[in-house]
Amino acid sequence: MRILDLAFVSKASDSSVTVVELTDPGVAETLRQVTDAQFDLLSHEDLRTVSDSLAIGSSALVVVWENTWAARLAAAVRGPRVSW
């Protein structure tokens, strides 16, 4: 598994929303090992959808990951075919 992108979304009791993303100053520096692999795949619309569905006083961690085994499987499926 490889993490491609992640964000933390929180809705306060006054309904204000806070979003912390990997690309935010300070966060990227702290999580450099993760940010080297990220592709900024979460859009503002994605995060707005998440925040709209959050109950007041709750939070969510949104993660986009790649199943690295799936890439190997796809390569094997697309590989050379054997004729009988």
Side-chain angles (χ1 to χ4, degrees), residues 1-6 37 39 41-42 61-69:
M1 183 175 104
R2 180 173 67 143
I3 295 174
L4 302 176
D5 200 0
L6 62 88
F39 296 109
L41 296 175
L42 293 169
L61 178 65
V62 184
V63 181
V64 178
W65 74 86
E66 172 186 38
N67 287 321
T68 53
W69 64 266

Side-chain angles (χ1 to χ4, degrees), residues 21-58:
E21 297 184 76
L22 285 176
T23 55
D24 290 350
V27 176
E29 187 65 30
T30 303
L31 300 174
R32 179 169 291 171
Q33 289 179 325
V34 175
T35 58
D36 287 345
Q38 67 90 23
F39 296 109
D40 200 22
L41 296 175
L42 293 169
S43 70
H44 292 292
E45 181 64 30
D46 295 331
L47 298 175
R48 186 175 315 122
T49 300
V50 171
S51 69
D52 288 348
S53 66
L54 283 177
I56 291 176
S58 64

Side-chain angles (χ1 to χ4, degrees), residues 10-18 56-58:
S10 180
K11 187 181 280 188
S13 58
D14 64 357
S15 294
S16 63
V17 174
T18 302
I56 291 176
S58 64

